[in-house]
Amino acid sequence: MAKLDDAQRNAALQDLPGWAHVAECDAIEKSYKFADFGEAYAFMTRVALEAEKADHHPEWSNVWNRVDVRPTTHSAGGLTEKDVALARKIEAIAGV
């Protein structure tokens, strides 16, 4: 899978409010906040199921009610359409 060029990445980010490009690793990222740890963990579980179906797993972390998500395609050396597709699924799960 080919990396997205700057124009493709910028176009994708237009449809992903709150997501930002991380230049040093050519990824996109977003933080989500929930009412408590249970809601954050439930969100992560739903995302994990979608990521497993797509065989594409994000870098992420969780601290209490916050989940930070960073999709990138290591095998391609940066951002690909797979990352954008996963970000869209994550947005749908979050109800954004």
Side-chain angles (χ1 to χ4, degrees), residues 29-91:
E29 70 180 2
K30 184 172 181 177
S31 292
Y32 294 90
K33 288 198 176 180
F34 300 91
D36 55 31
F37 178 76
E39 284 189 19
Y41 194 84
F43 168 76
M44 290 179 73
T45 300
R46 291 189 301 271
V47 170
L49 292 171
E50 288 300 320
E52 192 64 19
K53 285 181 199 174
D55 192 27
H56 193 60
H57 309 92
E59 296 177 7
W60 59 2
S61 65
N62 164 244
V63 177
W64 189 59
N65 70 335
R66 190 183 81 235
V67 178
D68 300 323
V69 186
R70 182 184 280 188
T72 189
T73 303
H74 296 285
S75 61
L79 191 67
T80 68
E81 185 54 43
K82 275 185 113 172
D83 304 305
V84 173
L86 182 59
R88 288 184 181 125
K89 286 181 183 179
I90 292 169
E91 288 289 279

